[in-house]
Amino acid sequence: MAEDFAQVVVVGVFTAGVLSGYSLRYYQSRVLLRQLESAKMLLEVHGVHLD
């Protein structure tokens, strides 16, 4: 009984860790994209076009 409970806890913690890792990576990529866009706009203001 206790071993089953321990296994459920381990799987739950592992799943939560994987999900939080994915959401963190998604959030970081969104932040990076926004920074890239603002950097591109800054360059275009100064006459540098990357396209």
Side-chain angles (χ1 to χ4, degrees):
M1 179 76 187
E3 291 161 356
D4 292 343
F5 180 71
Q7 202 168 8
V8 167
V9 168
V10 166
V11 169
V13 167
F14 177 75
T15 305
V18 169
L19 287 177
S20 66
Y22 274 119
S23 60
L24 186 66
R25 198 166 301 141
Y26 173 76
Y27 174 73
Q28 284 176 337
S29 68
R30 297 279 302 164
V31 169
L32 274 176
L33 278 175
R34 200 174 310 131
Q35 287 176 346
L36 225 92
E37 282 298 315
S38 56
K40 234 171 89 172
M41 280 173 50
L42 262 176
L43 286 173
E44 287 174 359
V45 164
H46 292 287
V48 180
H49 294 279
L50 301 175
D51 297 336

